Amino acid sequence: MELFDAVIDGLSIISSWPDRESSSGAYQLLCAIKQPEFILATHLLAKVFSISLPLSKLLQMQNIDLIEAMSLADNVSDVLKNIRNNADEDFKKLFLKVKEKCMSLDIEITLPRLTNIQKNRFNVKTPCPNEYYKISLFIPFLDNFISQLHDRFIAQKSLITNFCCLLPNNNLPNREENIKSLAEKYSEDLQCSSDSVIGEVPIDMDTKICWNRKTKKCIRTSYSM
């Protein structure tokens, strides 16, 4: 958002160049950017992406912790749901910022042309721009973003938890049930019953202690070398 005015100034300069192809393309882009819908969408993206930025940074790490990522995605979803539940108040604040930006650029916020029957575009019957853009843009975007978070992360939380039971350092209370769930999900790959998988996986404390001792021994050996 900090570069928004600079982009408009740059496109305004390019649109006056004698080169027809460059000036024409810059002018078309300038007209699109100065539309109220675009300015509002830009502010909305900036608001939502600032909330999801920590999650985005975490997902780009090399040694990513999936459990932490799931938890963070859950927190982001809760924040966005709170905004969604208070859509009237939150959008009012956002719309005020957009209105100020449009006034500084000498842009009037108006409603798009509406018809009685509209198939290819949202057709909200309201005379108020604030209400129109809240219903047609703000709420649908939040709903879609929350839905994507759930489908991509939160819905997979139980699966990641089940995989944690395979790690010797995790003492999950329902470890055997977690292993059984994994075995049932990947039964085609394992080609055996869930009972057989449970029997093969070391789930008792003695085996975990042995595993930890072997790991520490390997670490000491590697250091001595």
Side-chain angles (χ1 to χ4, degrees):
M1 293 304 301
E2 294 82 3
L3 299 176
F4 192 86
D5 292 341
V7 170
I8 290 182
D9 292 340
L11 290 174
S12 299
I13 294 173
I14 297 174
S15 62
S16 62
W17 285 2
D19 180 63
R20 180 175 297 180
E21 184 177 356
S22 299
S23 60
S24 176
Y27 180 75
Q28 293 178 15
L29 184 57
L30 180 63
C31 291
I33 289 178
K34 295 178 72 173
Q35 292 296 316
E37 295 94 333
F38 182 88
I39 299 175
L40 180 58
T42 305
H43 279 74
L44 177 57
L45 287 173
K47 179 180 179 66
V48 174
F49 286 171
S50 65
I51 297 173
S52 63
L53 181 60
L55 176 61
S56 178
K57 289 182 177 180
L58 179 63
L59 293 174
Q60 296 177 56
M61 294 176 61
Q62 291 183 349
N63 300 322
I64 181 175
D65 186 336
L66 290 179
I67 297 296
E68 184 180 356
M70 294 293 176
S71 178
L72 189 54
D74 209 358
N75 293 338
V76 171
S77 179
D78 289 341
V79 173
L80 294 178
K81 286 179 180 178
N82 185 56
I83 295 175
R84 172 64 175 85
N85 294 333
N86 298 281
D88 292 339
E89 188 64 28
D90 281 282
F91 183 74
K92 185 178 180 180
K93 297 177 182 178
L94 181 67
F95 191 78
L96 184 60
K97 293 181 180 179
V98 173
K99 193 174 182 179
E100 292 175 354
K101 173 60 70 174
C102 289
M103 289 179 62
S104 67
L105 298 173
D106 196 23
I107 299 173
E108 182 182 1
I109 300 179
T110 58
L111 291 172
R113 186 175 63 87
L114 303 177
T115 60
N116 292 328
I117 300 177
Q118 180 64 262
K119 296 182 179 180
N120 300 320
R121 190 176 65 185
F122 214 84
N123 200 44
V124 182
K125 297 296 182 65
T126 175
C128 178
N130 187 325
E131 194 71 16
Y132 174 84
Y133 289 115
K134 182 187 71 175
I135 298 174
S136 64
L137 181 63
F138 185 74
I139 292 177
F141 179 77
L142 286 178
D143 288 341
N144 181 264
F145 199 93
I146 293 171
S147 177
Q148 291 293 325
L149 277 177
H150 180 271
D151 294 342
R152 294 172 182 267
F153 299 101
I154 302 172
Q156 312 300 326
K157 191 173 183 178
S158 60
L159 179 62
I160 298 299
T161 303
N162 290 337
F163 270 111
C164 287
C165 72
L166 301 177
L167 301 176
N169 293 329
N170 283 307
N171 188 20
L172 298 176
N174 300 318
R175 199 159 187 264
E176 189 169 327
E177 290 297 324
N178 298 135
I179 296 174
K180 184 177 181 180
S181 298
L182 285 176
E184 291 174 351
K185 182 174 181 61
Y186 298 101
S187 58
E188 294 183 2
D189 298 319
L190 296 173
Q191 296 182 352
C192 62
S193 65
S194 58
D195 293 333
S196 299
V197 175
I198 293 174
E200 293 179 9
V201 176
I203 60 175
D204 57 281
M205 290 300 296
D206 292 337
T207 307
K208 288 197 294 181
I209 293 173
C210 180
W211 188 325
N212 289 334
R213 287 174 178 172
K214 289 182 179 180
T215 304
K216 292 178 181 178
K217 183 178 180 181
C218 291
I219 293 175
R220 286 197 297 269
T221 304
S222 62
Y223 282 159
S224 61
M225 293 175 63

